[in-house]
Amino acid sequence: MTIKERLTTYGYFILINSVFAIFIALRYLRFLPEVPSDMLGLLFLVLSTFSHMVALTAIVSLILLPFFFLPYGWIRRIIVATLASLILVYLFIDTAVFASYRFHINPAMLDLIFAGQIVSLSVATWLMVIGAVVLVFAIELGVLYAIDERKIRLPAKTGRIFSISAVTALLLSHLIHIWAAAHAYQSVTQLKRYLPLFYPMTSNSLMTKYGWIDEEALEKQKLMTMQKQGDFKFPLQPLQTQVVANPPNIVFLVIDSWRADTFNAENTPNLWNFSQNGTIFQNHLSTGNATRAGIFGFFYGIPSTYWHSAIDNKTSPVFIDRMQDLDYPLGIFASAQLHNPEFDQTVFLKVPNLRKESKGSTAVERDQNITEEWLNWFGQRDRLKPSFSFLFYDSPHGYDFPKDYPHRYEPMLSEVNYLKLNNKTDPEPLMNRYKTSVHFVDSLAKQVLDELNASGEMENTIVIITGDHGEEINDNKQNYWGHNSNFSNPQIHVPFVIVGKNVPKNVDGWNNYFTSHQDVVPTLLQNYLGVKNPIQDYSMGVDLLGKPVDRDWLLSSSYSKYAVVAHQDIMEVGSAGQFSYIDKEYKPLKEEPDYALLKQAMEQISRFSK
């Protein structure tokens, strides 16, 4: 083949794969809350989808260009087809990830996925991925062969028309976005998150120069933007403390991905029965829809939007600091590892000889391991000192339980294949598997609770039982599965119980009043650990053992977003200020949100960065 023929083959290969990519990208658009009703939004959607996928294909294909000049035909075809098939399958998997979680694959997310922090991938899922690669490889190999052998012939003008159309669409889509960004025109700007690696142009400075800008709309958007935080002043004032005559043992029993509706006498009989001796808070929200956000807010008492500030400034929670001042032995028993997310650099920064990992190749084995090791540690501790225990169970995160576990809910999925989940999937078999895993953890928790009761120290012990976040099983029929994708109740409403010293028996808690993970730290510091500061010095929470506080909203966050969650609606805001206003079932609301609530939320997000 001549150089011209090879370049022609390369051009046709890009064109055909661009078409493949466009058809795959249409899967992203299935998850728009609604198709834009205005002409500009609809035009931007069509132009950007077409032009961006062509541009992505062309850019990625530059990697393949050198291989088109290899001298041996079949070697060249195999290498090019292999790389092209991997790229297309990656794009398809990204659509599957986006379908369930509404974010695209990126290096940070891949790290968390392989660490088991977002999903636990089954053997069937991996086999499905491998099968897809093989199938697409065969198609790509066939396409290359057909082009080389002139079995695919396109009119001479096809390539030019396609290229000109793509470039024109690219320019128009970016021009539309420049105008939309200058006017905070949500119908356009909110669409960019649906396409991977899509960063359309903005030019607000130029638009301002010519007066083509909506300053009022931009001010509202700026209000919602998460500013990069510099100095982290936490707490605002040094802790003022008093002598604590008999500090209590404190036990945190936390279950990963624990839905509020599975905390009951039938699904968690041991935890439920134990909780009847304390206060059950019925409308408790986690500070996040993922482990990092939930655990951070639980231990720090502030929004997890401060995560990076805490790492950068090497700031540990005042709760841990205060317990160490009181000479508490700290027993940290987490099933999942503690270095990703970086809890060893935040929550447990100052814990000496931190136990960062558990023994076992599965969540079941690790959960059994932390129970056994905690029992040994608790039995051998110095009883003359108060102790702190943190047990963090992981099995429900991966819907895991022992193969021979006798208490099962049927019908049940034999394993979880996330690539097969869609809006038509019957949720009951997956929910039953999830409930079985929760019941299994309850059986392990029984050993902990029995040991606490047998110790004879419950009168001077505080036990808090909760989840780090929830778990959605397509509850709202929006094709959300798992967590870390939205702020609906299934993902952030978790069980929450306090049992122990000076805690009243009250199974109705604060009724429908909101409570939050942010409330844990002030409750313990104020009532048990001798801290006299106003709560506002170190937390956004309230004292759960004081007079009930009726809050209109709570703040919850994820890796890149935060939400103002009210009783009837949710205001979800991205890092750049783009927002969605939805009801509790994640359906778009047409009316304007209450910007006064957003202003209050921004005060929380910035209070410790001033």
Side-chain angles (χ1 to χ4, degrees), residues 434-606:
Y434 171 81
K435 288 167 64 178
T436 302
S437 71
V438 171
H439 194 279
F440 162 64
V441 169
D442 179 76
S443 71
L444 296 178
K446 180 181 185 299
Q447 300 177 49
V448 175
L449 302 178
D450 287 348
E451 178 65 22
L452 291 173
N453 285 321
S455 70
E457 299 180 42
M458 271 304 299
E459 290 186 359
N460 193 42
T461 297
I462 298 296
V463 181
I464 293 180
I465 300 169
T466 191
D468 60 342
H469 54 79
E471 183 78 358
E472 185 163 1
I473 303 180
N474 201 22
D475 296 72
N476 296 317
K477 306 304 177 186
Q478 301 283 336
N479 203 50
Y480 286 105
W481 303 85
H483 52 273
N484 195 39
S485 53
N486 69 47
F487 298 94
S488 63
N489 275 349
Q491 295 198 33
I492 63 173
H493 184 201
V494 294
F496 189 81
V497 181
I498 306 178
V499 179
K501 183 179 181 181
N502 298 330
V503 178
K505 293 184 180 180
N506 183 0
V507 295
D508 293 322
W510 285 8
N511 294 312
N512 197 44
Y513 285 7
F514 277 139
T515 58
S516 166
H517 276 1
Q518 293 181 155
D519 303 331
V520 174
V521 168
T523 300
L524 295 175
L525 293 186
Q526 293 284 314
N527 292 283
Y528 301 104
L529 300 180
V531 172
K532 299 189 294 183
N533 297 58
I535 289 174
Q536 292 76 14
D537 280 355
Y538 58 85
S539 177
M540 307 294 188
V542 299
D543 179 4
L544 295 176
L545 298 181
K547 183 180 178 180
V549 179
D550 187 7
R551 288 172 282 189
D552 294 328
W553 61 276
L554 288 176
L555 195 68
S556 190
S557 56
S558 65
Y559 285 88
S560 59
K561 295 183 287 188
Y562 69 90
V564 178
V565 182
H567 288 282
Q568 302 299 328
D569 51 44
I570 301 168
M571 182 71 169
E572 182 182 290
V573 185
S575 57
Q578 68 276 19
F579 69 92
S580 301
Y581 186 43
I582 55 266
D583 64 17
K584 299 291 274 195
E585 295 183 350
Y586 257 68
K587 295 176 182 175
L589 294 172
K590 298 295 185 182
E591 57 266 29
E592 284 286 301
D594 186 347
Y595 288 100
L597 295 187
L598 276 171
K599 188 173 183 180
Q600 295 171 32
M602 290 307 300
E603 191 280 328
Q604 286 198 9
I605 290 173
S606 61

